[in-house]
Amino acid sequence: MSVLLMNPNANAATTVAMLEIARRDLPEITGWTAPRGPQMIIDQDALEAAAKLVAEARIPKVSGVIVSAFGDPGRAALAARQACPVIGIGAASARAAKGRRFAVATTTPALAEAIDRMMTPYDGYVGCYLTPDDPLALMAHSARLDAALNAAVLRAAEEGAEVVIIGGGPLGEAAERLSADSPVPLISPIRAACAEMRDILGLSDGESGVSAPQKEASDPDQKVKK
């Protein structure tokens, strides 16, 4: 079955990196990169522009679509005109928390309100924990990025989070790197969405996106069209 990963950031290198993660669970997944816009979605204006691009995109016939930006831009509008399931990595990661006390650690303070709006409807959400530096500067230096995200995870854990989502499609590689030494399980949004898609399509069991220190099966509750 063919699944399309849509990268609403206009950065082909980010698409390649996200596909590398997604193919651990969905080997045949292919990619789509936004034809224009910012290299990374870091504020509300960029999120809204990305939503328009995704909603209006002409995509090939596939068995499922994963919108791989944490704000799930354009997911609902695209799902309304597609016959296949369309999953956003943001909501999929919240579902992967399965009601435990969970937080989001991310690099985009200008999107904190949008993240809160997305996560608040899910039981157990305790807040968004942000890195202090410019997100684009952090993305250019993996060691600084990892240190900043790890500090945010530690703050969240100290304040009661039982599991932490690393909030961003472009942060997928950092989620993988941080998982082994995290004080609480981390949720990789890309892998959470892939696990949910596998379940919807009736494929063999995949990972839930919970990276460390333990892994659990996903329990998706999203109703999507098949």
Side-chain angles (χ1 to χ4, degrees), residues 129-141:
Y129 292 76
L130 300 162
T131 56
D133 298 320
D134 176 79
L136 296 177
L138 281 178
M139 288 297 295
H141 300 278

Side-chain angles (χ1 to χ4, degrees), residues 107-144:
T107 61
T108 50
L111 289 174
E113 290 185 10
I115 291 171
D116 283 341
R117 285 195 301 272
M118 173 179 286
M119 295 294 153
T120 298
Y122 293 92
D123 291 341
Y125 180 56
V126 299
C128 184
Y129 292 76
L130 300 162
T131 56
D133 298 320
D134 176 79
L136 296 177
L138 281 178
M139 288 297 295
H141 300 278
S142 59
R144 286 177 56 197

Side-chain angles (χ1 to χ4, degrees), residues 13-159:
T14 298
T15 305
V16 171
M18 292 194 290
L19 284 172
E20 185 173 327
I21 295 168
R23 284 176 177 147
R24 298 172 190 176
D25 301 300
L26 292 167
E28 302 304 318
I29 196 167
T30 58
W32 174 95
T33 305
R36 58 187 180 276
Q39 297 289 289
M40 182 177 174
I41 298 168
I42 62 172
D43 57 32
Q44 188 64 34
D45 288 344
L47 187 66
E48 291 172 2
K52 189 173 188 296
L53 287 172
V54 170
E56 297 176 351
R58 298 179 65 182
I59 62 173
K61 185 176 181 180
V62 291
S63 301
V65 176
I66 292 173
V67 178
S68 196
F70 197 66
D72 298 351
R75 188 213 69 82
L78 183 64
R81 63 182 183 86
Q82 294 294 318
C84 66
V86 180
I87 295 174
I89 63 170
S93 62
R95 289 188 288 270
K98 299 165 66 173
R100 291 170 293 178
R101 289 175 59 82
F102 74 96
V104 174
T106 193
T107 61
T108 50
L111 289 174
E113 290 185 10
I115 291 171
D116 283 341
R117 285 195 301 272
M118 173 179 286
M119 295 294 153
T120 298
Y122 293 92
D123 291 341
Y125 180 56
V126 299
C128 184
Y129 292 76
L130 300 162
T131 56
D133 298 320
D134 176 79
L136 296 177
L138 281 178
M139 288 297 295
H141 300 278
S142 59
R144 286 177 56 197
L145 173 65
D146 289 0
L149 283 171
N150 186 60
V153 170
L154 288 172
R155 293 199 309 274
E158 289 169 356
E159 295 182 19

